[in-house]
C-alpha cells in the first residue's frame, strides 16, 4: 500500500502529513514533523519518554499507530511552552534541577500536565502514581516530584 | 515497511476483513504489545487491522454486565461493581498504558501478563467471540486453555460477560517494584458464605504461575463447607501451591513463584475474614 494521509490537530494547528501505514505517532512526530521534544526511548512502552497527550489524555506515542491520530487532538511538549513563555511545569523543572540529562523530562512533564489538568490539587502520592509509567535514570524522582508539587502550591496560591 | 492497514468502523466491517484477509492478518486492540513487537522488528506483518474504531468499547448492564473488547484499562479500572477487576486493571502499567491497553488484548497476552484473567475467573466471566459465520460464547476458563497464535485470525473477541457479583472478593499482585511491573504472581479469590458462616461457593484464580491463568479447583473444593479459619486457609494455600505449574523467567524463579502462591493465597483469604 502507498502512503496514507492523516490530518490531526497538533498543538492547536491542523496538520496533514503523509505517513506509512504502520508508522508510530512517535516516528511521525519526530521524523516527519521534526518535533524532537518527544523522545525515542525504548519503543516498548516501558520508559514513558515518548508520552504525548491525545485528546488531553496521556498516551505512549511509540505504541500508537499514527493513523489513529486522524481527527484527534495531539499535544506535545512543544505545544505547552516555548523558551520565552515556559509552562509553569517547565519553569519548576528548571528551578528544582529536576533534569540532569533531560531525556525523561518531556514525558514527565506531559504526564504531570495530564494529571494537573484533571486534578489541580494532587497529593504527592497521586503525583507519583501519575508518573508510574515514566522512568528517570539519572536525576532520581525526588526533584521531579518536588518540581510538580511546587506548581501545585503555586496554583493553590494563585 | 509496506503494509495494508485496516481500521474498520464497525464489527461487521472488522469481521469481513477477517474473512477476506484472516490468514495473514495481525489484529490490534490497543496495540500496546503488538506495536512493541513491530518496533522491535519481531514481526513484519503485511496486513494489520486495528479495532480502535470498530465501536467495540463500552460497559453495558442489562441483567448482567457486558464489557466491550476494546474498553481500555482506565475504563475497566472505574467499574465499581467488580472491585477486584477494577483493582487489577489499576495495577497494570501507568496511566498511559491503561489509556491504550484493552481488556480484549489483555486476555490474549501470554503469561506473566494478562492480569485481568485472574479477577475475571474469580467472577465467572464468559467471553463472546465472533467470526463471519457466527458467534460463540465460552467460559473464560475454556477460552484461556485454547491454543493461540498472533498470526492468522479467524475470530475476534467481542465482549466479556459477567454475572452479578456475589460474595466477597480479594486480589493481590506481586511485582518486582511498586508499579508498572509484570506479575510474579497474581491471586484473585471470591467466596460466598451461607448464614452459618460456612463457605457455599469459592473461586481461587491464579496468574503468572502456569501456561495461562487458571482456577485452583482442588483448593476451591477444600474450602466448600468450611468456615474461613487459620486451618482452612493454610490448607487451601498449600493445595493451591501444589496445583500451580510455575515457570522461571527474568522476574522470578519457579520455586519463588510457587512459594508466593502460598503466601498470597493466605493473605487474600485472610483479607476476607476482616
Ligand atoms: C510498560 C508496560 C507494562 C505492562 N504491564 C502489564 C501488567 O502489569 N499486566 C498485564 O496484564 N499486562 C501488562 N502489559 C501488557 C499489555 O499492555 C496489556 O496486557 C494490555 O491490556 C494488552 O492489550 P492491547 O489491547 O494493547 O493488546 P494488543 O497489543 O492490541 O493485542 C495483544 C494480543 O491480543 C490480540 N487481540 C487484541 N484484541 C483482540 C480482539 N478483540 N480479538 C482478537 N484478538 C485480539 C492481538 O492480536 C494480540 O495477539 C504491559 C505493557 C507495557 C508496555
Ligand atoms: S519510547 Fe515509548 S515508552 Fe519508551
Ligand atoms: S534526567 Fe536523565 S533520565 Fe531523567
Amino acid at each position: 500500500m502507498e502512503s496514507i494521509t492523516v490530518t490531526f490537530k497538533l498543538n492547536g494547528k491542523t496538520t496533514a502529513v503523509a505517513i506509512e501505514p504502520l508508522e508510530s505517532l512517535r516516528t511521525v512526530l519526530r521524523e516527519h514533523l521534526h518535533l524532537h521534544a518527544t523522545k525515542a526511548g525504548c519503543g516498548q512502552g516501558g520508559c514513558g519518554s515518548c508520552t504525548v497527550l491525545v485528546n488531553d489524555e496521556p498516551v505512549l506515542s511509540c505504541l500508537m499507530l499514527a493513523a489513529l491520530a486522524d481527527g484527534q487532538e495531539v499535544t506535545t511538549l512543544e505545544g505547552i511552552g516555548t523558551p520565552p513563555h515556559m509552562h509553569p511545569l517547565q519553569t519548576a523543572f528548571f528551578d528544582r534541577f529536576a533534569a540532569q540529562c533531560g531525556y525523561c523530562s518531556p514525558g514527565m512533564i506531559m504526564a504531570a500536565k495530564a494529571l494537573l489538568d484533571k486534578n489541580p490539587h494532587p497529593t504527592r502520592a497521586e503525583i507519583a502514581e501519575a508518573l508510574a509509567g515514566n522512568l528517570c535514570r539519572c536525576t532520581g524522582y525526588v526533584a521531579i516530584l518536588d518540581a510538580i508539587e511546587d506548581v501545585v502550591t503555586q496554583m493553590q496560591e494563585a | 515497511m509496506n503494509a495494508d492497514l485496516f481500521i474498520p468502523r464497525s464489527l461487521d466491517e472488522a469481521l469481513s476483513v477477517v474473512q477476506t484477509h484472516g490468514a495473514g492478518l495481525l489484529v490490534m486492540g490497543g496495540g500496546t504489545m503488538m506495536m512493541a513487537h513491530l518496533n522491535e522488528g519481531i514481526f513484519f506483518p503485511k496486513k494489520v487491522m486495528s479495532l480502535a474504531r470498530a465501536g467495540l468499547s463500552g460497559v453495558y448492564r442489562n441483567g448482567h454486565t457486558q464489557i466491550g473488547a476494546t474498553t481500555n484499562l482506565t475504563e475497566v479500572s472505574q467499574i465499581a461493581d467488580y472491585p477486584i477487576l477494577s483493582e487489577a486493571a489499576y495495577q497494570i502499567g501507568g496511566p498511559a498504558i491503561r489509556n491504550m491497553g484493552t481488556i480484549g488484548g489483555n486476555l490474549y497476552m501470554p503469561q506473566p501478563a494478562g492480569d485481568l484473567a485472574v479477577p475475571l475467573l474469580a467472577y465467572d466471566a464468559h467471553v463472546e467471540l465472533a467470526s463471519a459465520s457466527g458467534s460463540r460464547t465460552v467460559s473464560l476458563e475454556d477460552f484461556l486453555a485454547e491454543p493461540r497464535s498472533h498470526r492468522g485470525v479467524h475470530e475476534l473477541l467481542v465482549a466479556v460477560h459477567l454475572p452479578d457479583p456475589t460474595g466477597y472478593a480479594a486480589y493481590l499482585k506481586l511485582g518486582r517494584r511498586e508499579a508498572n511491573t509484570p506479575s510474579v504472581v497474581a491471586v484473585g479469590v471470591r467466596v460466598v458464605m451461607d448464614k452459618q458462616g460456612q463457605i457455599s461457593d469459592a473461586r481461587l484464580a491464579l496468574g503468572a504461575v502456569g501456561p495461562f491463568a487458571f482456577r485452583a479447583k482442588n483448593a476451591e473444593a477444600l474450602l466448600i463447607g468450611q468456615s474461613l479459619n487459620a486451618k482452612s486457609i493454610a490448607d487451601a494455600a498449600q493445595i493451591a501451591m501444589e496445583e500451580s505449574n510455575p515457570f522461571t523467567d527474568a522476574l522470578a524463579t519457579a520455586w519463588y513463584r510457587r512459594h508466593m502462591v502460598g503466601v498470597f493465597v493466605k493473605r487474600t483469604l485472610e483479607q476476607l475474614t476482616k
Side-chain angles (χ1 to χ4, degrees):
Chain A
M1 192 158 106
E2 310 293 295
S3 67
I4 55 176
T5 300
V6 293
T7 307
F8 53 99
K9 223 176 209 164
L10 175 58
N11 298 329
K13 242 176 66 191
T14 301
T15 306
V17 56
I19 65 164
E20 284 178 38
L22 298 187
E23 278 179 317
S24 70
L25 180 60
R26 184 188 79 180
T27 299
V28 169
L29 290 171
R30 289 177 56 87
E31 291 171 25
H32 295 244
L33 299 166
H34 307 293
L35 293 178
H36 294 127
T38 303
K39 292 291 175 272
C42 63
Q44 297 293 298
C47 74
S49 69
C50 67
T51 306
V52 301
L53 307 186
V54 174
N55 305 332
D56 299 327
E57 295 290 343
V59 304
L60 301 173
S61 61
C62 72
L63 298 185
M64 179 169 162
L65 284 167
L68 294 175
D70 195 63
Q72 316 297 310
E73 275 184 40
V74 177
T75 310
T76 68
L77 189 77
E78 288 93 342
I80 72 164
T82 57
H85 302 286
M86 291 209 287
H87 188 278
L89 281 164
Q90 292 173 306
T91 310
F93 268 58
F94 181 81
D95 291 343
R96 282 285 190 170
F97 301 101
Q100 277 187 37
C101 77
Y103 209 80
C104 67
S105 311
M108 291 281 180
I109 291 173
M110 296 315 283
K113 180 178 189 302
L115 171 71
L116 298 187
D117 287 350
K118 258 187 280 185
N119 176 4
H121 306 301
T123 62
R124 197 169 170 97
E126 285 169 335
I127 299 171
E129 281 184 33
L131 300 182
N134 295 76
L135 298 184
C136 176
R137 296 291 83 165
C138 48
T139 300
Y141 300 95
V142 172
I144 293 171
L145 294 174
D146 288 347
I148 298 168
E149 271 193 327
D150 275 2
V151 177
V152 173
T153 315
Q154 287 162 23
M155 289 194 305
Q156 265 160 347
E157 284 165 1
Chain B
M1 207 190 328
N2 252 351
D4 287 323
L5 173 64
F6 303 94
I7 307 177
R9 302 284 153 166
S10 68
L11 175 60
D12 283 347
E13 219 184 287
L15 291 175
S16 80
V17 174
V18 169
Q19 189 172 31
T20 314
H21 303 283
L25 188 67
L26 189 150
V27 172
M28 289 187 192
T32 56
M33 181 184 75
M34 281 309 174
M35 284 298 284
H37 284 358
L38 296 198
N39 290 342
E40 194 72 12
I42 292 175
F43 300 152
F44 294 96
K46 287 272 167 260
K47 289 168 184 174
V48 173
M49 172 166 75
S50 166
L51 296 174
R53 303 280 178 266
L56 294 178
S57 120
V59 181
Y60 307 94
R61 290 177 186 84
N62 49 352
H64 70 290
T65 296
Q66 176 181 336
I67 306 170
T70 60
T71 306
N72 71 36
L73 302 177
T74 300
E75 293 163 309
V76 175
S77 75
Q78 290 158 354
I79 302 176
D81 316 352
Y82 300 87
I84 69 168
L85 174 61
S86 53
E87 210 175 304
Y90 191 74
Q91 288 188 34
I92 294 176
I97 283 286
R98 292 195 293 276
N99 285 337
M100 306 178 82
T102 68
I103 188 171
N106 193 269
L107 295 178
Y108 283 90
M109 290 294 291
Q111 300 275 283
D115 288 343
L116 294 186
V118 173
L120 289 171
L121 284 171
Y123 287 127
D124 288 334
H126 282 66
V127 295
E128 181 185 335
L129 300 141
S131 69
S133 56
S135 76
R136 63 183 180 117
T137 298
V138 295
S139 71
L140 175 61
E141 213 184 329
D142 291 344
F143 171 74
L144 293 171
E146 289 173 7
R148 60 190 49 162
S149 93
H150 296 311
R151 261 173 289 186
V153 181
H154 65 279
E155 61 184 358
L156 298 173
L157 198 155
V158 175
V160 174
H161 296 271
L162 289 166
D164 282 345
T166 52
Y168 299 95
Y171 174 79
L172 280 176
K173 164 179 169 169
L174 174 68
R176 289 289 299 268
R177 59 198 286 270
E178 190 80 13
N180 197 20
T181 183
S183 289
V184 169
V185 56
V187 177
V189 298
R190 183 173 63 90
V191 300
V192 184
M193 306 267 199
D194 64 20
K195 289 205 180 62
Q196 287 74 45
Q198 296 198 323
I199 297 167
S200 57
D201 206 3
R203 294 288 179 278
L204 207 167
L206 303 176
V209 287
F212 40 82
F214 63 96
R215 281 171 54 190
K217 289 192 172 165
N218 296 339
E220 289 176 358
L222 173 127
L223 288 168
I224 308 280
Q226 306 217 43
S227 64
L228 272 183
N229 55 45
K231 175 157 185 354
S232 65
I233 289 175
D235 289 348
Q238 178 61 40
I239 293 180
M241 282 171 72
E242 287 161 18
E243 279 181 276
S244 301
N245 182 17
F247 49 86
T248 295
D249 65 3
L251 297 164
T253 61
W255 178 89
Y256 182 62
R257 283 195 150 93
R258 191 190 302 279
H259 178 74
M260 291 312 291
V261 165
V263 176
F264 271 39
V265 167
K266 186 162 171 281
R267 284 191 198 163
T268 46
L269 289 173
E270 279 170 355
Q271 279 186 17
L272 299 183
T273 64
K274 292 188 182 121

